[in-house]
Amino acid sequence: MVSCSAIRSMRLAPLAVAFVLLGACSSSGGTRQSASVNALYSQLDQASKSYETALQQSREGNLQASQLTLTRSLDELKKTAALCGSTEGCDPQRFFSVFDHMLRLKDGDFGGDQDLNGDVDASQAALAAGKAGAASLPQAQRSVTLLHGQKLSQLIAMNGPVKAALEMWLTQWRPQLMDAYVNYEHLRFEMWPQYEKADLPEALLFGMVAKESGGKVHAVSRSGAAGPLQFMYATGMRFGLGTDNGFDTRFDPAASARANAEYLNEQLRKFNDNLELTIGAYNTGEGRMGRLVGDDTSVSFYDPRIYDALPQETRDYVPSVLAAAWLFLHPESYNLRFPKIDGAPGSVILKRPASLSELTVCLGSAGGMSDGWFRTLRNLNPKLDPQVTQPAGARLALPKNLEGAYASRCVDGPWPILAGDLHHAVVPVVTSPVAPPVAASARRYKVRRGESLISIVRKLHCSSVQEVAEMNGLKHHRIRAGQVLTLPACH
């Protein structure tokens, strides 16, 4: 006898086609709902409830009743979807959201024969169950795809918004995707263990890193969100990200990943493991998302009551994160090849004084890194100003495969000499002919390469970033190397 799960698979496929036609045939009715539209919506709700009843009957072992209820439910849904396409004022998005919810209900396989290893290696399932460690998994098998006992792939609805985001990552955003992957691979040893402890899938971590910062540890948004996972100051403080000897720990990859995992698990509990609502809350704020959802945590993110009420940024953000996570899991299915990166951590003890910028010059393209190592060195040494020379004897973090390159290129020979000569070059300062008067207590500061307004204020212990921005008429805190800033009295 054909299992109920097989029946479901066979029946949901043509139903999905019906929804595509429904979206193409929908009309733009008025805002008032007619009695016929309300009747369709009522039938839709009943079909959804019948589907959940079929699930419950299956879990109780009543497979015959489950199969009958399931058949009636899907037939009713297909019939109402067809009627919606020819009924003025009927919103097809209501049907899409219900279909999305039905596809991804927890324990949604029928007949008690769930295959949690369908798109993961057996060792990954063991890892999700706490029977193995991440270090024991080979490169191709390390991406745990289970979220609290559910397939991540089943939680990602392959709908229009996600498909559009996939196209963006594979075209216009492709350079950012590849940079994010390289950056993440070198940070993985710090960030992934935090997600593993929280029982969250690595693909989700990559999706958020790719969308939030592209793996740039020192990224700061216009709104003040900072770090690889872009925490606002107040939210960061709530999850233990503060200041450590003057260092903003939002820029710490491990601490940021830990805080992000804690936030997501908090919101997953609040939204009953609804992944899309949780990701949306991370972007738009849990307060706003909570008010929209109310007590109905089973509602789909794409339900018009939620989707239409959110800002465009959040409507784009959620599918973008999910699409990046999907590509992390299935690159070959999209003609995508991520570079092979040896992210094993290493370190060197400086044999001669050098800054991160100087090390970048003398390392060149060692290890086949055509874009150079500046970003990686900054990410692995987040507390260091890349322009400040570190003394001999200082220990710096770098990829382990660069330890030999440092010894051969950056200790003796022409490259460290060249790097030092370039680093200490002086650029003439052109003084404005009509310079505004400067208070006696103020001072001037020349911006160096790689510095941000936040790093300057932190280094010089000035009062606030906003005060410096206002004194210099800066928009969005943007500065450039060689620019001369007027600073207040800094101590």
Side-chain angles (χ1 to χ4, degrees):
M1 183 177 70
V2 180
S3 69
C4 291
S5 59
I7 293 174
R8 182 194 65 164
S9 300
M10 290 186 291
R11 294 187 62 80
L12 286 182
L15 187 58
V17 175
F19 282 141
V20 172
L21 297 177
L22 171 61
C25 298
S26 61
S27 59
S28 57
T31 57
R32 296 185 60 185
Q33 293 179 1
S34 66
S36 58
V37 170
N38 286 329
L40 286 177
Y41 290 165
S42 177
Q43 295 171 30
L44 171 65
D45 292 339
Q46 186 58 47
S48 179
K49 291 177 182 177
S50 295
Y51 185 86
E52 295 185 32
T53 299
L55 279 173
Q56 186 60 36
Q57 291 171 333
S58 174
R59 295 176 188 133
E60 294 172 352
N62 194 350
L63 300 185
Q64 185 173 0
S66 173
Q67 182 176 352
L68 181 61
T69 307
L70 173 67
T71 299
R72 290 174 178 173
S73 168
L74 297 182
D75 284 346
E76 183 68 16
L77 184 58
K78 184 176 180 180
K79 182 179 71 174
T80 53
L83 290 173
C84 181
S86 58
T87 303
E88 184 176 2
C90 184
D91 184 1
Q93 187 66 30
R94 290 280 288 269
F95 289 81
F96 290 137
S97 64
V98 169
F99 181 56
D100 168 51
H101 172 62
M102 290 167 61
L103 273 178
R104 301 183 291 117
L105 276 173
K106 187 176 182 180
D107 301 325
D109 289 347
F110 290 90
D113 57 349
Q114 297 175 356
D115 177 17
L116 291 179
N117 297 329
D119 60 356
V120 294
D121 183 86
S123 58
Q124 294 175 277
L127 175 60
K131 300 177 182 177
S136 68
L137 297 180
Q139 175 84 9
Q141 300 174 354
R142 71 186 189 189
S143 303
V144 178
T145 61
L146 300 180
L147 178 68
H148 298 176
Q150 302 175 76
K151 284 184 186 177
L152 182 61
S153 59
Q154 287 185 343
L155 294 174
I156 299 178
M158 198 51 61
N159 54 23
V162 174
K163 289 181 179 180
L166 284 170
E167 183 185 42
M168 291 298 293
W169 282 122
L170 293 169
T171 56
Q172 299 181 48
W173 299 345
R174 193 183 188 102
Q176 179 182 337
L177 180 70
M178 304 308 284
D179 287 345
Y181 186 84
V182 172
N183 291 333
Y184 172 71
E185 287 296 291
H186 288 115
L187 293 171
R188 180 178 183 268
F189 76 98
E190 296 186 84
M191 303 185 78
W192 160 232
Q194 309 303 321
Y195 255 53
E196 182 187 15
K197 292 175 186 175
D199 191 29
L200 291 174
E202 184 178 22
L204 178 58
L205 171 60
F206 173 75
M208 300 202 77
V209 167
K211 182 59 179 173
E212 289 288 359
S213 67
K216 298 177 181 178
V217 165
H218 296 87
V220 179
S221 74
R222 295 180 180 180
S223 62
L229 288 161
Q230 294 289 277
F231 271 94
M232 295 296 290
Y233 181 78
T235 307
M237 288 291 290
R238 184 157 71 91
F239 289 92
L241 301 179
T243 303
D244 180 16
N245 293 323
F247 174 67
D248 188 339
T249 57
R250 290 181 295 171
F251 298 118
D252 183 299
S256 182
R258 174 198 53 75
N260 173 268
E262 289 181 6
Y263 181 96
L264 291 184
N265 270 332
E266 176 190 86
Q267 297 305 309
L268 283 168
R269 288 190 294 269
K270 178 178 179 180
F271 294 114
N272 196 25
D273 282 350
N274 189 318
L275 179 59
E276 288 159 335
L277 295 182
T278 296
I279 296 174
Y282 191 83
N283 177 260
T284 198
E286 65 265 28
R288 172 186 282 178
M289 187 62 76
R291 287 189 296 272
L292 290 175
V293 171
D295 296 330
D296 186 12
T297 55
S298 65
V299 67
S300 169
F301 172 81
Y302 299 101
D303 189 299
R305 294 170 294 171
I306 307 299
Y307 190 78
D308 295 353
L310 291 169
Q312 185 64 48
E313 177 187 345
T314 306
R315 295 200 295 265
D316 293 338
Y317 178 84
V318 171
S320 295
V321 169
L322 294 175
W326 188 262
L327 290 173
F328 183 80
L329 292 172
H330 308 291
E332 300 85 0
S333 299
Y334 294 86
N335 199 25
L336 177 67
R337 184 184 297 274
F338 286 122
K340 292 184 177 180
I341 302 297
D342 183 357
S347 65
V348 295
I349 296 177
L350 294 182
K351 301 298 183 182
R352 60 189 297 163
S355 65
L356 296 183
S357 292
E358 291 172 88
L359 290 179
T360 300
V361 173
C362 67
L363 286 171
S365 298
M369 182 69 86
S370 58
D371 291 338
W373 292 101
F374 182 75
R375 174 57 54 192
T376 303
L377 293 179
R378 284 212 72 192
N379 283 353
L380 294 177
N381 300 275
K383 295 183 179 181
L384 300 183
D385 185 323
Q387 306 301 328
V388 174
T389 299
Q390 305 302 317
R395 180 181 293 274
L396 299 183
L398 44 61
K400 188 170 185 62
N401 62 357
L402 286 185
E403 292 176 347
Y406 169 79
S408 62
R409 300 186 181 196
C410 300
V411 177
D412 297 307
W415 302 126
I417 296 175
L418 171 65
D421 182 54
L422 298 177
H423 184 67
H424 295 96
V426 177
V427 179
V429 177
V430 179
T431 304
S432 174
V434 187
V438 178
S441 58
R443 57 171 291 191
R444 295 187 181 279
Y445 180 84
K446 180 182 175 183
V447 179
R448 307 184 73 172
R449 288 174 294 175
E451 288 185 317
S452 66
L453 194 60
I454 291 178
S455 69
I456 293 173
V457 169
R458 186 170 63 241
K459 180 173 68 175
L460 300 179
H461 305 289
C462 297
S463 55
S464 74
V465 173
Q466 189 61 33
E467 181 182 3
V468 175
E470 291 176 354
M471 288 184 68
N472 293 273
L474 301 176
K475 293 184 178 180
H476 310 304
H477 299 174
R478 292 177 180 172
I479 58 176
R480 65 182 184 280
Q483 182 177 359
V484 178
L485 302 177
T486 300
L487 302 179
C490 303
H491 306 285

